[in-house]
Amino acid sequence: MNVPNLKPKDFTSDVTPVWCPGCGDFHVLMSITRALAELGRPPEDIAVISGIGCSSRIPAYTNCYGFHGVHGRSLSLAAGLKIARPDLTVLAMSGDGDGFSIGGNHFLHACRRNVDMTYIVMDNRVYGMTKGQPSPTTEPDWDSALSPGGTGLSPFHPLVIALASGANFVAREFSGNIKGCTKTIVEAVNHPGFSFVEILSPCVTFRPDEKEWKNQVHGASVPETDDPARAARRIMTDDGMNTGILYRGQRKPYFASVKNTFGEIAPLERAFEV
Amino acid sequence: MKSAKNVSFAVVGSGGAGAITAGSILIEAAGKSGWHGLMTRSVGPQIRGGEAAALVRLSTKPAFCMSRDFDILVAIDWKNADRFIGSMPVASAGLVIADPAAGDPPAALRDGDCTIVECPIGELAKAIQGGRPNMICVGLVAQLTGLPIDMVMQVVASKLESKGASAIEIGGLCIEAGMTAAAGFGTRFVLETPGKPDSKRWLITGNEAVGLGALRGGVEFAAAYPITPATEVLEYLAPALASIGGALVQAEDELASINMIMGASYGGRPSITATSGPGLSLMMESLGLATAAEVPLVVIDVMRAGPSTGIATKSEQSDLNIAVHGFHGDAPHVVLAPLSVADCLFTAQWAVHIAETLQSPVIVLSDQSIGQAHVLIDRPADVTFLTRRKPYQAASEPYLRYAVTADGVSPMSIPGQPGGQYTADGLTHTERGTPSSTAKAQRQQMDKRLHKIEAFDFGDHWGVTEGTGDTVILTWGSLTGAVREAIDALQDDGIDVRLVALRQISPFPEKPLQAALSGAKRVLFVEQNHSGQFYRYVRSHIDLPFDIDRLNREGPDAIGPDEIASSIRDWKSQ
Ligand SMILES: Cc1ncc(C[n+]2csc(CCOP(=O)(O)OP(=O)(O)O)c2C)c(N)n1
Ligand code: SF4
Ligand SMILES: [Mg+2]
């Protein structure tokens, strides 16, 4: 059912976010509520599912059905829900630690499985919630108490991995560009199959350097493609600050779903009769 | 002629020789004829192509466990038999039927005091165009045990239906040849004529029964990761769920499977997963979330020998500790254990009912010994529970998902219901579900979650108590079968022993257990694990002012009726 004239505030709850003033996640929340208003489905038909982290606090700040799960498992909760309830619009939400470190395996398999849902990762290249440790997307020389002098490890490349694993829609946005984020989220939700949107969302507290992101991001200079090899080459060679929709694939979404009417159990019993 | 109440036989042969098929035909024919029985398979350490044996016990009464030794052993060949023959001893009055063309029987048998007779199994099969040695074995055993040939042929006909009439005819000729060959081997294993069962008997494994029970309970969604010995639950449920409109998803690991079913259940679909110890260990954190966020779900743990990878194909009852105590924080939840293969069906159905009613995770502790045993049972009675989540009703006040109520159960909305929106959360939360770190919220929600489980009426399903006598055997889960058989045997000797077996492990059924133990003087605890987890658990809840003895052992050696009965006899004679 589509409801005309829905406003972003129809998707906002009265719970006050715990986020630090200036945190990029506020903008992600705004973009999501705007996108949902634009999509036109009422809040009770939307489920926002997350793991653990500052970013993963987002479900309770919406007026949708929400699930704030355990660390790293938002994709599994969301996939189970969507397969069980294909009628719902399902958004899975994570941070970079939640989605790429502890939940990394689920990311690969969610891309492969291609369940029709949208996965938004608020990437601040740090563990914000636990007060500033390096995540899989953190630069190798970023100094912190837990990894003095940096991890020395090259960062994980979420978009390439999404492509290689079979995601059907891949995009990157910057939280400060609310218009861009809103548009991309709408497109991601509307695209069949598993859509992945990485949103660069600064952690102003533990990565104050990320306040500069607003000056560093730029729209992609080349149009989106449906050829994963081309998309991969582009994204491997960009500067990491390139935003927009990169790839839109044609794979068929995951087939299984629970129906609304159920058959009888009794006939199944006959198989056991001798 | 005195006929037998029990006969056990093994058909052995290398992988592909059809030993398992022979066993299946024989047990099905026995079921059709009105006997009880059970069959397990022994497959070697090699995954494929190794030795295989069908181990079958037929009985005039319900059979719960395999005999300690075998009356009849028929060998199609002896390839690799050395490796497993030690674990299937032949009774001293037993009979080994060996094909001289297959070489000498293993030393373990030659040196024993059983009788070894020769039968040219391979040659008999060759004499029939297209004949197979395993069908000769079917004939041999059918003759020795007195299985009606028409029942055997009915089973063969249905099993070979797809292969055409000539295959059925050839099968029949082989069986006849086997029967003729066994005519001179004596009649001491002929089973007593059974009574006619009221309805068609079922041949089912515990793993299948758990699956069917879950479906009877209303499960619509499953997600799981394969693991021995639980995989058959999933392989049963996958097509069964699809056929009724549900779905099973093979997840990438158990972290995913438990969260997938939590998501599906949050979406209003009764959901289940099945695993074994290693998988249950991975699920613990998420089970805590299901407790805190109050999401109904059922986890079947088909226990195997642990710790760690342990012995994947052998049974133990050693996950009681983790199932009851494995959650961090104070996380009241429900743990059940089926008492037999047939009871797997009831217990799984009950588990779904409890999970849905209490909005709680329920762990069901089945194990390899019942999960993978094929057992002839009477059709389990239809049980109806009024299974329903307390529904959300639209109202003018804001919806309190975690409202404190008289019974501790709060109305649960499901996505799609207008006005029912809330965020399910593992963070300590208020009645509305909003995260809160206050002492008040923590206490209020903990009290509520404990109360809903303590106030629930588990009825008389907490366990069983059978017989009288001031000597009690106290057990739980699958070992109940062996204990029942032990108590039966003791009764034949005029020794009265009371059985008390727990199906409800947590919350601890204190009142009914106390009542069941009243008047007891001595209590023997029986359980299949190394440390006596059940004994320690019971002791942590109630005083045990009795003479206590314990019979507990880790896998893979199953605790059997003889051993249990001896414990009681030794005790009696002290
Ligand atoms: C199993 C488990 N391990 C560790 C933690 C501690 N923890 C909470 S949030 C977090 C990292 C979150 O990082 P990210 O996903 O990037 O979210 P952010 O806070 O940066 O938005 C960690 C390690 C936890 N909650 N659970
Ligand atoms: S710590 Fe960083 S990520 Fe967390 S709320 Fe503050 S600014 Fe945002
Ligand atoms: Mg982060």
Side-chain angles (χ1 to χ4, degrees):
Chain A
M1 181 183 63
N2 269 43
V3 183
N5 300 325
L6 280 166
K7 301 277 182 301
K9 70 166 174 29
D10 294 321
F11 295 90
T12 314
S13 80
D14 56 8
V15 179
T16 312
V18 292
W19 296 321
C20 310
C23 175
D25 296 348
F26 281 106
H27 292 139
V28 178
L29 177 60
M30 284 170 71
S31 300
I32 286 174
T33 55
R34 284 187 190 196
L36 291 175
E38 200 174 317
L39 283 160
R41 295 196 76 187
E44 64 267 20
D45 290 347
I46 318 285
V48 184
I49 312 292
S50 69
I52 295 288
C54 296
S55 40
S56 289
R57 288 292 196 110
I58 208 161
Y61 308 147
T62 74
N63 183 34
C64 305
Y65 276 90
F67 204 136
H68 182 212
V70 292
H71 196 21
R73 318 292 163 216
S74 63
L75 282 173
S76 310
L77 275 174
L81 176 58
K82 179 67 189 186
I83 294 166
R85 291 288 308 277
D87 56 309
L88 302 172
T89 295
V90 177
L91 304 183
M93 314 289 301
S94 281
D96 42 317
D98 193 75
F100 306 143
S101 189
I102 192 166
N105 191 36
H106 307 309
F107 181 43
L108 305 183
H109 293 280
C111 294
R112 264 183 79 216
R113 199 173 279 119
N114 203 27
V115 173
D116 184 17
M117 61 190 197
T118 299
Y119 185 36
I120 299 173
V121 176
M122 293 168 253
D123 189 353
N124 53 13
R125 302 186 181 166
V126 73
Y127 288 4
M129 183 68 122
T130 46
K131 304 199 182 337
Q133 297 81 27
S135 87
T137 50
T138 304
E139 303 79 346
D141 57 352
W142 186 73
D143 187 51
S144 67
L146 190 58
S147 294
T151 60
L153 304 176
S154 54
F156 182 93
H157 211 317
L159 281 76
V160 178
I161 288 170
L163 278 170
S165 309
N168 217 24
F169 178 103
V170 178
R172 185 194 281 137
E173 285 297 343
F174 168 60
S175 62
N177 179 1
I178 293 172
K179 243 175 112 177
C181 284
T182 304
K183 184 168 167 285
T184 297
I185 294 168
V186 168
E187 302 261 333
V189 171
N190 283 335
H191 192 71
F194 185 76
S195 301
F196 171 56
V197 183
E198 179 193 42
I199 302 187
L200 299 173
S201 178
C203 172
V204 294
T205 302
F206 298 106
R207 296 293 310 257
D209 51 311
E210 291 174 351
K211 289 182 194 162
E212 272 310 296
W213 277 357
K214 63 176 181 295
N215 302 317
Q216 294 163 357
V217 293
H218 51 87
S221 53
V222 280
E224 65 182 66
T225 168
D226 63 357
D227 174 1
R230 269 179 65 182
R233 216 171 309 118
R234 271 183 206 166
I235 204 72
M236 286 291 277
T237 52
D238 83 352
D239 61 357
M241 290 288 137
N242 212 330
T243 60
I245 298 167
L246 175 73
Y247 171 75
R248 227 189 271 252
Q250 319 285 338
R251 281 181 63 214
K252 261 172 87 163
Y254 189 69
F255 63 96
S257 65
V258 177
K259 311 292 177 288
N260 274 324
T261 51
F262 290 89
E264 289 291 313
I265 308 301
L268 291 170
E269 298 186 352
R270 258 167 244 139
F272 299 112
E273 288 174 356
V274 294
Chain B
M1 183 190 82
K2 188 175 172 288
S3 43
K5 290 193 190 323
N6 264 297
V7 62
S8 297
F9 61 86
V11 183
V12 305
S14 49
I20 306 288
T21 308
S24 304
I25 291 171
L26 288 160
I27 193 166
E28 277 191 46
K32 271 189 189 293
S33 315
W35 279 291
H36 289 273
L38 87 164
M39 176 173 82
T40 61
R41 304 159 189 206
S42 172
V43 284
Q46 294 123 311
I47 305 297
R48 270 200 168 278
E51 62 279 14
L55 314 179
V56 183
R57 173 177 161 212
L58 303 181
S59 167
T60 51
K61 286 202 246 172
F64 296 104
C65 45
M66 209 33 95
S67 308
R68 207 182 37 189
D69 45 22
F70 290 87
D71 301 307
I72 306 166
L73 189 151
V74 188
I76 300 170
D77 59 60
W78 296 113
K79 286 179 201 150
N80 299 320
D82 278 337
R83 275 203 240 147
F84 63 94
I85 212 78
S87 63
M88 45 180 81
V90 178
S92 52
L95 182 70
V96 175
I97 304 177
D99 186 341
D104 281 342
L109 293 175
R110 274 179 289 142
D111 301 345
D113 37 15
C114 54
T115 311
I116 301 182
V117 297
E118 293 190 337
C119 176
I121 295 171
E123 231 170 74
L124 288 174
K126 259 198 211 116
I128 296 159
Q129 172 113 44
R132 293 194 21 102
N134 66 332
M135 296 305 247
I136 304 284
C137 296
V138 170
L140 290 168
V141 176
Q143 173 71 26
L144 283 166
T145 54
L147 280 184
I149 176 71
D150 51 328
M151 293 301 169
V152 178
M153 278 316 298
Q154 272 184 29
V155 176
V156 170
S158 75
K159 282 212 190 274
L160 296 180
E161 199 184 317
S162 61
K163 298 201 171 140
S166 78
I168 297 171
E169 200 192 317
I170 292 163
L173 291 173
C174 289
I175 290 167
E176 269 173 40
M179 292 181 77
T180 310
F185 296 159
T187 56
R188 62 187 187 281
F189 304 118
V190 171
L191 274 168
E192 212 171 73
T193 316
K196 264 267 160 256
D198 297 339
S199 61
K200 279 192 179 172
R201 211 153 259 166
W202 287 12
L203 181 62
I204 193 167
T205 65
N207 282 345
E208 292 164 335
V210 150
L212 183 60
L215 295 176
R216 276 192 179 179
V219 158
E220 296 170 1
F221 180 81
Y225 190 73
I227 186 167
T228 306
T231 307
E232 298 88 12
V233 179
L234 318 173
E235 289 175 342
Y236 173 70
L237 278 176
L241 271 170
S243 77
I244 60 164
L248 178 142
V249 177
Q250 182 180 333
E252 56 271 30
D253 57 31
E254 289 85 350
L255 304 166
S257 56
I258 187 76
N259 280 284
M260 283 182 180
I261 68 166
M262 198 165 356
S265 177
Y266 168 81
R269 307 293 196 187
S271 297
I272 197 168
T273 187
T275 187
S276 191
L280 184 65
S281 300
L282 284 180
M283 293 177 184
M284 286 329 294
E285 183 199 17
S286 301
L287 281 167
L289 171 62
T291 302
E294 304 196 48
V295 184
L297 44 88
V298 175
V299 177
I300 308 293
D301 172 15
V302 187
M303 295 182 286
R304 64 192 222 182
S308 188
T309 310
I311 311 173
T313 54
K314 296 293 177 182
S315 203
E316 249 177 29
Q317 292 182 299
S318 50
D319 293 350
L320 184 148
N321 281 351
I322 186 177
V324 173
H325 303 295
F327 300 43
H328 67 270
D330 284 311
H333 61 282
V334 178
V335 180
L336 310 174
L339 305 178
S340 66
V341 168
D343 193 47
C344 283
L345 200 147
F346 170 81
T347 301
Q349 184 181 353
W350 192 39
V352 179
H353 167 67
I354 295 171
E356 291 291 312
T357 309
L358 291 182
Q359 301 170 21
S360 164
V362 176
I363 301 174
V364 176
L365 297 176
S366 176
D367 62 39
Q368 187 276 335
S369 76
I370 48 175
Q372 293 189 321
H374 297 252
V375 179
L376 288 167
I377 59 171
D378 289 317
R379 182 183 179 281
D382 288 309
V383 183
T384 325
F385 291 112
L386 287 173
T387 298
R388 204 166 67 133
R389 288 187 196 176
K390 191 181 274 189
Y392 156 78
Q393 254 124 16
S396 50
E397 312 88 71
Y399 169 48
L400 300 179
R401 164 66 186 97
Y402 299 107
V404 173
T405 60
D407 61 4
V409 180
S410 317
M412 183 174 182
S413 63
I414 60 165
Q417 291 183 300
Q421 296 101 299
Y422 71 103
T423 292
D425 210 320
L427 283 168
T428 295
H429 44 257
T430 62
E431 287 182 275
R432 208 187 128 184
T434 309
S436 164
S437 45
T438 63
K440 176 175 176 256
Q442 176 77 332
R443 170 72 64 84
Q444 175 199 64
Q445 293 295 311
M446 279 201 166
D447 281 350
K448 166 187 135 61
R449 292 191 297 256
L450 181 62
H451 176 63
K452 72 176 178 183
I453 286 179
E454 288 187 341
F456 182 71
D457 180 10
F458 289 86
D460 54 5
H461 303 312
W462 62 273
V464 296
T465 168
E466 289 164 8
T468 53
D470 52 19
T471 298
V472 174
I473 303 183
L474 181 51
T475 189
W476 69 286
S478 69
L479 261 279
T480 305
V483 171
R484 272 197 178 119
E485 293 201 12
I487 289 177
D488 252 19
L490 289 163
Q491 203 120 49
D492 291 347
D493 295 353
I495 305 172
D496 247 358
V497 177
R498 195 188 317 174
L499 164 74
V500 180
L502 258 57
R503 183 189 283 119
Q504 177 191 330
I505 305 299
S506 187
F508 188 74
E510 182 167 336
K511 274 200 193 122
L513 180 61
Q514 293 277 27
L517 292 175
S518 78
K521 291 212 169 76
R522 309 200 270 190
V523 176
L524 171 69
F525 281 82
V526 179
E527 57 183 314
Q528 190 85 52
N529 60 63
H530 188 254
S531 61
Q533 297 185 12
F534 177 65
Y535 162 72
R536 289 165 199 276
Y537 175 62
V538 172
R539 223 180 77 169
S540 74
H541 278 275
I542 58 172
D543 289 336
L544 298 170
F546 320 106
D547 265 357
I548 298 290
D549 199 2
R550 289 162 56 189
L551 173 56
N552 62 279
R553 182 175 58 235
E554 69 289 349
D557 284 337
I559 297 175
D562 297 354
E563 202 178 351
I564 298 166
S566 310
S567 293
I568 294 287
R569 284 200 184 93
D570 293 350
W571 204 358
K572 285 266 171 201
S573 60
Q574 268 166 30

